[in-house]
Each structure stands twice: as structure tokens, then as C-alpha cells.
Amino acid sequence: MHVQRLVSFPMYDFPEVRHYTIRFWNAVVDQLAKEGVPDLRETIVPDPACEKSVAEGSLLLGQVCGYPLTHAYSGQLRVIATPCYSTPYSSGPEYCSVVVVRKDSTYQTVADLRHTRCAVNGYDSNSGMNMLRALVAPLSHNGRFFSKVFATGSHKSSLDNIASGNADCCAIDCVLYTLFLRYDVPEAKQTRVLPTPGFGHKRHRAALRANAGRTSLSIRGLASLALAYPAVSGGPIRCGD
């Protein structure tokens, strides 16, 4: 069966920036077509985390989180570059997560979050789970720190749980949090960033340069990367008894 090849950038695509994502996607696909790449899918196909396209072998160019890259997608994808984003929390190929709490909460340090309820977007997320796990690990007791950890399905849902009081903290990809604030996502407006020391790491994402939509999506350019990804090893965050 003939399979059209898919270009997908799902990581920072949400309704408020959909117009810019489409512009960026069109620019990339147009450039690939000019370079003679055949069998390109001519419309955007919803494909969260590129799961379907990787499984069926139709993904040509995509963007994925570093933790799935080295775990669920190990050996299935080849890293070609990472976008250089510009945010108040990071710049260039380096990135970080931000620890987020309600604006009216009394938490001032990461240590204050002991025995609180933590929302993660997914147990396979580098920014929402793996980075936070590494941050609280030195503060844990017998491998436990939070009283409860639960998955929400997305960074936006994690913020919603913080805003509604169902969770006390979460870790959010700094690029996504910047875009949420820039485009007035209500859940983000009810939160604040908790100061954290050195909460950053390089991320691998396959991508291609295109001008359209870059500024609106905070993309500055691209940086090439070695294939080795120094992701923090270990399992999901464990909650307290």
C-alpha cells in the first residue's frame, strides 16, 4: 500500500497558535517539495507526539520530546537538529522546564513542595516528568517526595489542575509555558514559576528551518546535535506513602 510521507510538529500546537503552526508547516512542506522530496502529505494530520506516523512508518520529519526519543522511539528515529527557541527561561539549543504553582500559593522553594500533589502531563515526558524527577531526587526520602503524582495527558491539563486546586505543582516545558502566557491561555494566568536552580538540559527535536511563523512560535533557528542524548535515566516519579 502506498503511504504518503508526513511532516508533523505537534509539540507546541494548541488552538491559540494553530494559525502560526500551519504557516510554519506550509513553509517546511513547500521547501521539501522544491527540493524534490516525493509523496508528501498535502494537509496537516493531527498526530500527537507523532505516535501514529512513527508506528505506520509514514513520518518523514517531526518533532518529539527527548524522553520518548530515547525510550519508546529508541532506534526508530534519527535526530537531525533542534530548534533554537527564545524564552525568558532559556535560549539557543538549551532548554529547561519551569516548576509551576498557583499564584496565591505560599510555596517559595522546591523543598516546600514535599508531600504536595504533583501533576505530570505523562510518565514518558522529559519536561513534565523526567526533569522534575531529577530535580526532586536529592530531596527525596527512600525515593519518595510527593504525596501524590498523577498524569493529566497534557501540559495544559496539568496547568488546569493547578489553577483549579486539584494539584499543587507541575513542571512545564518552558517554550510551551511562554507561549501559553503570550497568547493568554487562562490556566497559565493563574500560575507562577517557582525559582529553581539550574533546571535545564538540551533537547533533541528533528526539525527544518522555515521563516513563516517562526517569530510567533518563538523559534530563532536550528542547531545541529550529536546523536547521543544525555537524558537522566530512571523511572517515573514516586509519591509518598
Short mmCIF file of all heavy atoms in Angstrom, two decimals, residues 41-77:
data_model
loop_
_atom_site.label_atom_id
_atom_site.label_comp_id
_atom_site.label_asym_id
_atom_site.label_seq_id
_atom_site.Cartn_x
_atom_site.Cartn_y
_atom_site.Cartn_z
N ARG A 41 2.48 14.40 2.23
CA ARG A 41 1.08 14.63 2.58
C ARG A 41 0.79 16.12 2.48
O ARG A 41 1.52 16.94 3.03
CB ARG A 41 0.81 14.14 4.01
CG ARG A 41 -0.64 14.21 4.45
CD ARG A 41 -1.49 13.18 3.72
NE ARG A 41 -2.86 13.19 4.18
CZ ARG A 41 -3.38 12.30 5.02
NH1 ARG A 41 -2.62 11.33 5.49
NH2 ARG A 41 -4.64 12.36 5.38
N GLU A 42 -0.27 16.51 1.79
CA GLU A 42 -0.53 17.91 1.49
C GLU A 42 -1.38 18.62 2.53
O GLU A 42 -1.65 19.81 2.41
CB GLU A 42 -1.18 18.03 0.11
CG GLU A 42 -0.27 17.56 -1.02
CD GLU A 42 -0.93 17.70 -2.38
OE1 GLU A 42 -2.11 18.08 -2.43
OE2 GLU A 42 -0.25 17.43 -3.39
N THR A 43 -1.83 17.90 3.54
CA THR A 43 -2.61 18.52 4.61
C THR A 43 -2.05 18.08 5.96
O THR A 43 -1.47 16.99 6.08
CB THR A 43 -4.10 18.13 4.53
OG1 THR A 43 -4.21 16.70 4.58
CG2 THR A 43 -4.73 18.65 3.26
N ILE A 44 -2.23 18.93 6.96
CA ILE A 44 -1.79 18.58 8.31
C ILE A 44 -2.69 17.48 8.87
O ILE A 44 -3.92 17.56 8.77
CB ILE A 44 -1.82 19.81 9.24
CG1 ILE A 44 -0.71 20.79 8.85
CG2 ILE A 44 -1.66 19.40 10.69
CD1 ILE A 44 -0.63 22.00 9.74
N VAL A 45 -2.08 16.48 9.45
CA VAL A 45 -2.82 15.39 10.07
C VAL A 45 -2.56 15.43 11.57
O VAL A 45 -1.41 15.39 12.00
CB VAL A 45 -2.38 14.02 9.50
CG1 VAL A 45 -3.12 12.90 10.21
CG2 VAL A 45 -2.61 13.97 8.00
N PRO A 46 -3.62 15.53 12.40
CA PRO A 46 -3.40 15.51 13.85
C PRO A 46 -2.68 14.24 14.27
O PRO A 46 -3.12 13.13 13.97
CB PRO A 46 -4.84 15.55 14.41
CG PRO A 46 -5.66 16.17 13.33
CD PRO A 46 -5.04 15.69 12.05
N ASP A 47 -1.55 14.40 14.94
CA ASP A 47 -0.75 13.23 15.32
C ASP A 47 0.04 13.56 16.59
O ASP A 47 1.24 13.82 16.53
CB ASP A 47 0.20 12.87 14.17
CG ASP A 47 0.95 11.56 14.42
OD1 ASP A 47 0.51 10.78 15.28
OD2 ASP A 47 1.98 11.34 13.76
N PRO A 48 -0.64 13.59 17.73
CA PRO A 48 0.04 13.93 18.99
C PRO A 48 1.27 13.07 19.21
O PRO A 48 1.21 11.84 19.12
CB PRO A 48 -1.03 13.66 20.05
CG PRO A 48 -2.33 13.81 19.32
CD PRO A 48 -2.06 13.28 17.93
N ALA A 49 2.40 13.76 19.49
CA ALA A 49 3.67 13.08 19.78
C ALA A 49 4.16 12.22 18.61
O ALA A 49 5.04 11.39 18.78
CB ALA A 49 3.57 12.23 21.04
N CYS A 50 3.57 12.40 17.42
CA CYS A 50 3.97 11.65 16.22
C CYS A 50 3.78 10.15 16.38
O CYS A 50 4.40 9.35 15.68
CB CYS A 50 5.43 11.95 15.85
SG CYS A 50 5.77 13.67 15.42
N GLU A 51 2.92 9.73 17.30
CA GLU A 51 2.77 8.31 17.62
C GLU A 51 2.29 7.49 16.42
O GLU A 51 2.87 6.45 16.09
CB GLU A 51 1.80 8.14 18.79
CG GLU A 51 2.33 8.70 20.10
CD GLU A 51 1.30 8.62 21.21
OE1 GLU A 51 0.17 8.17 20.93
OE2 GLU A 51 1.62 9.01 22.35
N LYS A 52 1.22 7.94 15.78
CA LYS A 52 0.64 7.16 14.69
C LYS A 52 1.59 7.08 13.50
O LYS A 52 1.79 6.01 12.92
CB LYS A 52 -0.69 7.76 14.25
CG LYS A 52 -1.39 6.97 13.16
CD LYS A 52 -2.73 7.59 12.79
CE LYS A 52 -3.42 6.81 11.69
NZ LYS A 52 -4.73 7.42 11.31
N SER A 53 2.19 8.22 13.13
CA SER A 53 3.05 8.24 11.95
C SER A 53 4.32 7.42 12.15
O SER A 53 4.83 6.82 11.21
CB SER A 53 3.40 9.68 11.57
OG SER A 53 3.97 10.37 12.65
N VAL A 54 4.85 7.40 13.38
CA VAL A 54 6.02 6.56 13.66
C VAL A 54 5.63 5.09 13.56
O VAL A 54 6.34 4.27 12.97
CB VAL A 54 6.61 6.87 15.05
CG1 VAL A 54 7.68 5.84 15.42
CG2 VAL A 54 7.20 8.27 15.08
N ALA A 55 4.48 4.74 14.12
CA ALA A 55 4.04 3.35 14.13
C ALA A 55 3.80 2.81 12.72
O ALA A 55 4.15 1.66 12.42
CB ALA A 55 2.76 3.20 14.96
N GLU A 56 3.23 3.63 11.85
CA GLU A 56 2.92 3.17 10.50
C GLU A 56 4.05 3.43 9.50
O GLU A 56 3.96 3.05 8.34
CB GLU A 56 1.64 3.82 10.00
CG GLU A 56 1.72 5.30 9.77
CD GLU A 56 0.40 5.93 9.37
OE1 GLU A 56 -0.65 5.28 9.54
OE2 GLU A 56 0.42 7.07 8.87
N GLY A 57 5.12 4.09 9.97
CA GLY A 57 6.28 4.32 9.12
C GLY A 57 6.11 5.45 8.12
O GLY A 57 6.85 5.51 7.13
N SER A 58 5.16 6.36 8.36
CA SER A 58 4.91 7.44 7.40
C SER A 58 5.60 8.75 7.78
O SER A 58 5.59 9.70 6.99
CB SER A 58 3.40 7.69 7.28
OG SER A 58 2.85 8.09 8.52
N LEU A 59 6.19 8.83 8.96
CA LEU A 59 6.81 10.09 9.40
C LEU A 59 8.09 10.36 8.63
O LEU A 59 9.02 9.57 8.64
CB LEU A 59 7.11 10.05 10.90
CG LEU A 59 7.71 11.34 11.47
CD1 LEU A 59 6.68 12.46 11.45
CD2 LEU A 59 8.23 11.12 12.88
N LEU A 60 8.14 11.51 7.96
CA LEU A 60 9.35 11.95 7.29
C LEU A 60 10.13 12.92 8.18
O LEU A 60 11.35 12.79 8.34
CB LEU A 60 9.00 12.65 5.97
CG LEU A 60 10.18 13.32 5.24
CD1 LEU A 60 11.18 12.28 4.77
CD2 LEU A 60 9.68 14.17 4.07
N LEU A 61 9.43 13.89 8.75
CA LEU A 61 10.07 14.91 9.57
C LEU A 61 9.12 15.29 10.69
O LEU A 61 7.95 15.58 10.45
CB LEU A 61 10.38 16.14 8.72
CG LEU A 61 11.13 17.29 9.39
CD1 LEU A 61 12.55 16.86 9.74
CD2 LEU A 61 11.16 18.50 8.48
N GLY A 62 9.60 15.26 11.91
CA GLY A 62 8.72 15.55 13.03
C GLY A 62 9.47 16.18 14.18
O GLY A 62 10.66 16.52 14.07
N GLN A 63 8.79 16.31 15.29
CA GLN A 63 9.33 16.95 16.48
C GLN A 63 8.85 16.17 17.69
O GLN A 63 7.65 16.02 17.90
CB GLN A 63 8.84 18.40 16.55
CG GLN A 63 9.46 19.23 17.65
CD GLN A 63 8.99 20.67 17.57
OE1 GLN A 63 7.98 20.98 16.95
NE2 GLN A 63 9.72 21.56 18.21
N VAL A 64 9.79 15.65 18.48
CA VAL A 64 9.41 14.81 19.60
C VAL A 64 10.18 15.22 20.86
O VAL A 64 11.23 15.83 20.79
CB VAL A 64 9.66 13.31 19.32
CG1 VAL A 64 8.82 12.83 18.16
CG2 VAL A 64 11.13 13.04 19.08
N CYS A 65 9.64 14.83 21.99
CA CYS A 65 10.26 15.07 23.29
C CYS A 65 11.46 14.14 23.46
O CYS A 65 11.48 13.02 22.94
CB CYS A 65 9.21 14.82 24.37
SG CYS A 65 9.82 14.99 26.07
N GLY A 66 12.45 14.59 24.22
CA GLY A 66 13.68 13.83 24.37
C GLY A 66 13.53 12.49 25.07
O GLY A 66 14.23 11.53 24.74
N TYR A 67 12.63 12.39 26.04
CA TYR A 67 12.48 11.13 26.77
C TYR A 67 11.89 10.02 25.89
O TYR A 67 12.45 8.92 25.84
CB TYR A 67 11.62 11.36 28.02
CG TYR A 67 11.69 10.24 29.03
CD1 TYR A 67 12.72 10.17 29.96
CD2 TYR A 67 10.71 9.25 29.07
CE1 TYR A 67 12.78 9.14 30.89
CE2 TYR A 67 10.76 8.23 29.99
CZ TYR A 67 11.80 8.18 30.91
OH TYR A 67 11.85 7.16 31.82
N PRO A 68 10.78 10.26 25.18
CA PRO A 68 10.31 9.23 24.24
C PRO A 68 11.34 8.91 23.16
O PRO A 68 11.42 7.77 22.70
CB PRO A 68 9.05 9.86 23.64
CG PRO A 68 8.58 10.83 24.66
CD PRO A 68 9.84 11.39 25.27
N LEU A 69 12.12 9.92 22.76
CA LEU A 69 13.12 9.69 21.73
C LEU A 69 14.09 8.59 22.13
O LEU A 69 14.47 7.75 21.31
CB LEU A 69 13.89 10.99 21.46
CG LEU A 69 15.06 10.90 20.48
CD1 LEU A 69 14.57 10.61 19.07
CD2 LEU A 69 15.89 12.18 20.51
N THR A 70 14.49 8.59 23.41
CA THR A 70 15.48 7.61 23.87
C THR A 70 14.84 6.38 24.50
O THR A 70 15.56 5.46 24.89
CB THR A 70 16.42 8.26 24.90
OG1 THR A 70 15.65 8.75 26.00
CG2 THR A 70 17.19 9.41 24.27
N HIS A 71 13.52 6.36 24.59
CA HIS A 71 12.85 5.22 25.22
C HIS A 71 11.86 4.57 24.25
O HIS A 71 12.20 3.62 23.55
CB HIS A 71 12.16 5.66 26.52
CG HIS A 71 13.13 6.01 27.61
ND1 HIS A 71 13.91 7.15 27.59
CD2 HIS A 71 13.46 5.36 28.76
CE1 HIS A 71 14.68 7.17 28.66
NE2 HIS A 71 14.42 6.11 29.39
N ALA A 72 10.65 5.09 24.16
CA ALA A 72 9.62 4.47 23.31
C ALA A 72 10.03 4.45 21.83
O ALA A 72 9.71 3.51 21.11
CB ALA A 72 8.29 5.21 23.47
N TYR A 73 10.75 5.50 21.38
CA TYR A 73 11.13 5.59 19.97
C TYR A 73 12.59 5.18 19.73
O TYR A 73 13.13 5.45 18.66
CB TYR A 73 10.93 7.01 19.45
CG TYR A 73 9.50 7.49 19.44
CD1 TYR A 73 9.19 8.84 19.60
CD2 TYR A 73 8.44 6.60 19.28
CE1 TYR A 73 7.88 9.29 19.59
CE2 TYR A 73 7.13 7.03 19.28
CZ TYR A 73 6.86 8.38 19.43
OH TYR A 73 5.56 8.81 19.43
N SER A 74 13.21 4.57 20.70
CA SER A 74 14.62 4.21 20.58
C SER A 74 14.87 3.36 19.33
O SER A 74 14.20 2.35 19.12
CB SER A 74 15.06 3.43 21.82
OG SER A 74 16.41 3.04 21.71
N GLY A 75 15.80 3.81 18.49
CA GLY A 75 16.15 3.07 17.28
C GLY A 75 15.22 3.30 16.12
O GLY A 75 15.45 2.78 15.02
N GLN A 76 14.15 4.08 16.31
CA GLN A 76 13.17 4.29 15.24
C GLN A 76 13.31 5.65 14.56
O GLN A 76 12.82 5.83 13.44
CB GLN A 76 11.74 4.18 15.81
CG GLN A 76 11.43 2.85 16.45
CD GLN A 76 10.01 2.81 17.00
OE1 GLN A 76 9.04 2.88 16.26
NE2 GLN A 76 9.89 2.72 18.31
N LEU A 77 13.95 6.61 15.23
CA LEU A 77 14.07 7.96 14.69
C LEU A 77 15.53 8.37 14.63
O LEU A 77 16.35 7.91 15.42
CB LEU A 77 13.29 8.96 15.56
CG LEU A 77 11.79 8.71 15.72
CD1 LEU A 77 11.20 9.72 16.70
CD2 LEU A 77 11.09 8.81 14.38
#
